[in-house]
Short mmCIF file of all heavy atoms in Angstrom, two decimals:
data_model
loop_
_atom_site.label_atom_id
_atom_site.label_comp_id
_atom_site.label_asym_id
_atom_site.label_seq_id
_atom_site.Cartn_x
_atom_site.Cartn_y
_atom_site.Cartn_z
N PRO A 1 7.74 2.41 -91.07
CA PRO A 1 8.00 3.61 -91.85
C PRO A 1 6.82 4.20 -92.58
O PRO A 1 6.63 5.43 -92.59
CB PRO A 1 9.11 3.15 -92.89
CG PRO A 1 9.81 2.06 -92.20
CD PRO A 1 8.73 1.36 -91.37
N GLN A 2 6.01 3.32 -93.14
CA GLN A 2 4.84 3.78 -93.91
C GLN A 2 3.74 4.44 -93.02
O GLN A 2 2.84 5.09 -93.55
CB GLN A 2 4.25 2.67 -94.74
CG GLN A 2 3.81 1.40 -93.94
CD GLN A 2 4.88 0.41 -93.78
OE1 GLN A 2 6.06 0.75 -93.76
NE2 GLN A 2 4.45 -0.86 -93.65
N ALA A 3 3.78 4.25 -91.72
CA ALA A 3 2.78 4.83 -90.85
C ALA A 3 3.17 6.13 -90.22
O ALA A 3 2.36 6.76 -89.63
CB ALA A 3 2.41 3.76 -89.75
N ILE A 4 4.47 6.43 -90.34
CA ILE A 4 4.95 7.59 -89.51
C ILE A 4 4.31 8.87 -89.94
O ILE A 4 3.85 9.72 -89.10
CB ILE A 4 6.50 7.65 -89.60
CG1 ILE A 4 7.14 6.55 -88.83
CG2 ILE A 4 7.04 9.02 -89.15
CD1 ILE A 4 8.69 6.52 -88.83
N GLU A 5 4.29 9.17 -91.24
CA GLU A 5 3.76 10.45 -91.69
C GLU A 5 2.35 10.65 -91.27
O GLU A 5 1.96 11.75 -90.83
CB GLU A 5 3.95 10.60 -93.20
CG GLU A 5 3.63 12.02 -93.68
CD GLU A 5 4.06 12.21 -95.13
OE1 GLU A 5 4.53 11.27 -95.82
OE2 GLU A 5 3.99 13.38 -95.56
N ARG A 6 1.54 9.65 -91.36
CA ARG A 6 0.13 9.71 -91.01
C ARG A 6 0.01 10.01 -89.54
O ARG A 6 -0.80 10.94 -89.10
CB ARG A 6 -0.61 8.41 -91.30
CG ARG A 6 -2.08 8.40 -90.73
CD ARG A 6 -2.68 7.03 -91.07
NE ARG A 6 -2.00 5.93 -90.50
CZ ARG A 6 -2.08 5.52 -89.19
NH1 ARG A 6 -2.75 6.26 -88.36
NH2 ARG A 6 -1.39 4.49 -88.76
N VAL A 7 0.74 9.39 -88.63
CA VAL A 7 0.66 9.58 -87.20
C VAL A 7 1.24 10.94 -86.83
O VAL A 7 0.70 11.66 -85.93
CB VAL A 7 1.35 8.46 -86.46
CG1 VAL A 7 1.35 8.71 -84.93
CG2 VAL A 7 0.62 7.11 -86.72
N VAL A 8 2.31 11.31 -87.45
CA VAL A 8 2.95 12.68 -87.16
C VAL A 8 1.91 13.77 -87.58
O VAL A 8 1.75 14.75 -86.82
CB VAL A 8 4.22 12.84 -87.90
CG1 VAL A 8 4.70 14.31 -87.87
CG2 VAL A 8 5.35 11.97 -87.29
N ASP A 9 1.24 13.58 -88.71
CA ASP A 9 0.19 14.58 -89.02
C ASP A 9 -0.86 14.67 -87.96
O ASP A 9 -1.38 15.76 -87.67
CB ASP A 9 -0.48 14.15 -90.35
CG ASP A 9 0.35 14.43 -91.59
OD1 ASP A 9 1.31 15.27 -91.40
OD2 ASP A 9 0.06 13.90 -92.67
N GLU A 10 -1.19 13.54 -87.37
CA GLU A 10 -2.24 13.50 -86.32
C GLU A 10 -1.83 14.25 -85.05
O GLU A 10 -2.69 14.90 -84.41
CB GLU A 10 -2.49 12.03 -85.96
CG GLU A 10 -3.51 11.78 -84.89
CD GLU A 10 -3.62 10.29 -84.51
OE1 GLU A 10 -3.07 9.46 -85.22
OE2 GLU A 10 -4.24 10.07 -83.44
N VAL A 11 -0.59 14.30 -84.67
CA VAL A 11 -0.10 14.89 -83.41
C VAL A 11 0.69 16.12 -83.55
O VAL A 11 1.07 16.74 -82.56
CB VAL A 11 0.66 13.84 -82.62
CG1 VAL A 11 -0.15 12.55 -82.40
CG2 VAL A 11 2.00 13.48 -83.25
N ARG A 12 0.97 16.59 -84.81
CA ARG A 12 1.91 17.70 -85.01
C ARG A 12 1.57 18.92 -84.22
O ARG A 12 2.47 19.53 -83.62
CB ARG A 12 1.91 18.00 -86.51
CG ARG A 12 2.86 19.17 -86.84
CD ARG A 12 2.74 19.66 -88.23
NE ARG A 12 2.97 18.62 -89.21
CZ ARG A 12 2.06 18.09 -90.04
NH1 ARG A 12 0.79 18.52 -89.97
NH2 ARG A 12 2.37 17.16 -90.90
N ASP A 13 0.35 19.29 -84.11
CA ASP A 13 -0.06 20.55 -83.50
C ASP A 13 0.14 20.47 -81.96
O ASP A 13 0.04 21.50 -81.30
CB ASP A 13 -1.50 20.88 -83.84
CG ASP A 13 -2.48 19.85 -83.33
OD1 ASP A 13 -2.32 18.66 -83.63
OD2 ASP A 13 -3.44 20.24 -82.65
N LEU A 14 0.41 19.29 -81.39
CA LEU A 14 0.56 19.15 -79.99
C LEU A 14 2.00 19.11 -79.51
O LEU A 14 2.30 19.13 -78.35
CB LEU A 14 -0.16 17.92 -79.51
CG LEU A 14 -1.69 17.83 -79.62
CD1 LEU A 14 -2.17 16.45 -79.29
CD2 LEU A 14 -2.32 18.95 -78.79
N LEU A 15 2.94 19.00 -80.52
CA LEU A 15 4.33 18.94 -80.19
C LEU A 15 4.82 20.22 -79.53
O LEU A 15 4.56 21.34 -80.03
CB LEU A 15 5.20 18.62 -81.41
CG LEU A 15 4.98 17.22 -82.02
CD1 LEU A 15 5.77 17.06 -83.33
CD2 LEU A 15 5.43 16.14 -81.04
N ARG A 16 5.62 20.05 -78.50
CA ARG A 16 6.28 21.22 -77.81
C ARG A 16 7.76 21.26 -78.19
O ARG A 16 8.36 20.18 -78.47
CB ARG A 16 6.16 21.19 -76.30
CG ARG A 16 4.75 21.00 -75.76
CD ARG A 16 4.74 21.09 -74.29
NE ARG A 16 5.75 20.25 -73.61
CZ ARG A 16 5.55 18.96 -73.36
NH1 ARG A 16 4.35 18.37 -73.61
NH2 ARG A 16 6.50 18.24 -72.74
N PRO A 17 8.38 22.44 -78.29
CA PRO A 17 9.80 22.48 -78.72
C PRO A 17 10.76 21.71 -77.86
O PRO A 17 11.81 21.34 -78.38
CB PRO A 17 10.06 24.04 -78.67
CG PRO A 17 8.72 24.69 -78.74
CD PRO A 17 7.77 23.76 -78.07
N ASP A 18 10.44 21.45 -76.61
CA ASP A 18 11.36 20.77 -75.73
C ASP A 18 11.21 19.27 -75.74
O ASP A 18 12.00 18.60 -75.14
CB ASP A 18 11.14 21.28 -74.31
CG ASP A 18 9.75 20.97 -73.79
OD1 ASP A 18 8.75 21.13 -74.53
OD2 ASP A 18 9.56 20.48 -72.60
N GLN A 19 10.29 18.77 -76.51
CA GLN A 19 10.08 17.33 -76.55
C GLN A 19 11.17 16.66 -77.47
O GLN A 19 11.36 17.08 -78.60
CB GLN A 19 8.71 16.96 -77.09
CG GLN A 19 7.54 17.24 -76.11
CD GLN A 19 6.23 17.02 -76.72
OE1 GLN A 19 5.92 17.59 -77.76
NE2 GLN A 19 5.36 16.23 -76.07
N LEU A 20 11.73 15.61 -76.96
CA LEU A 20 12.73 14.80 -77.72
C LEU A 20 11.98 13.72 -78.45
O LEU A 20 11.23 12.98 -77.92
CB LEU A 20 13.75 14.15 -76.76
CG LEU A 20 14.65 13.14 -77.38
CD1 LEU A 20 15.54 13.68 -78.48
CD2 LEU A 20 15.53 12.51 -76.31
N LEU A 21 12.29 13.66 -79.82
CA LEU A 21 11.70 12.60 -80.63
C LEU A 21 12.75 11.58 -80.99
O LEU A 21 13.85 11.94 -81.46
CB LEU A 21 11.10 13.23 -81.89
CG LEU A 21 10.15 14.42 -81.79
CD1 LEU A 21 9.68 14.89 -83.15
CD2 LEU A 21 8.96 14.09 -80.87
N ILE A 22 12.50 10.36 -80.66
CA ILE A 22 13.45 9.29 -80.98
C ILE A 22 12.78 8.33 -81.93
O ILE A 22 11.69 7.83 -81.72
CB ILE A 22 13.78 8.47 -79.73
CG1 ILE A 22 14.53 9.37 -78.68
CG2 ILE A 22 14.74 7.27 -80.07
CD1 ILE A 22 14.84 8.72 -77.37
N THR A 23 13.38 8.12 -83.12
CA THR A 23 12.78 7.29 -84.14
C THR A 23 13.64 6.03 -84.43
O THR A 23 14.93 6.14 -84.40
CB THR A 23 12.56 8.05 -85.44
OG1 THR A 23 12.10 7.15 -86.45
CG2 THR A 23 13.82 8.70 -85.90
N ILE A 24 13.08 4.87 -84.62
CA ILE A 24 13.77 3.65 -84.98
C ILE A 24 13.36 3.14 -86.33
O ILE A 24 13.76 2.03 -86.71
CB ILE A 24 13.52 2.55 -83.90
CG1 ILE A 24 12.07 2.09 -83.87
CG2 ILE A 24 14.00 3.01 -82.50
CD1 ILE A 24 11.84 0.85 -83.05
N ALA A 25 12.69 3.92 -87.10
CA ALA A 25 12.22 3.52 -88.42
C ALA A 25 13.34 3.45 -89.47
O ALA A 25 14.06 4.49 -89.57
CB ALA A 25 11.13 4.43 -88.88
N ALA A 26 13.51 2.34 -90.10
CA ALA A 26 14.51 2.25 -91.16
C ALA A 26 14.14 3.09 -92.35
O ALA A 26 12.94 3.15 -92.76
CB ALA A 26 14.63 0.77 -91.57
#
């Protein structure tokens, strides 16, 4: 959980609207 925001910040600009995001973080 503590790493998600940092990694999402890293890749945010590459996300496409059709991509499915599946998360297992408590």
Side-chain angles (χ1 to χ4, degrees):
Q2 58 269 28
I4 289 182
E5 188 166 7
R6 173 182 58 80
V7 175
V8 168
D9 282 344
E10 179 187 346
V11 303
R12 180 190 299 113
D13 62 308
L14 295 173
L15 291 175
R16 304 188 311 276
D18 62 317
Q19 287 175 308
L20 169 61
L21 310 181
I22 299 175
T23 174
I24 66 170

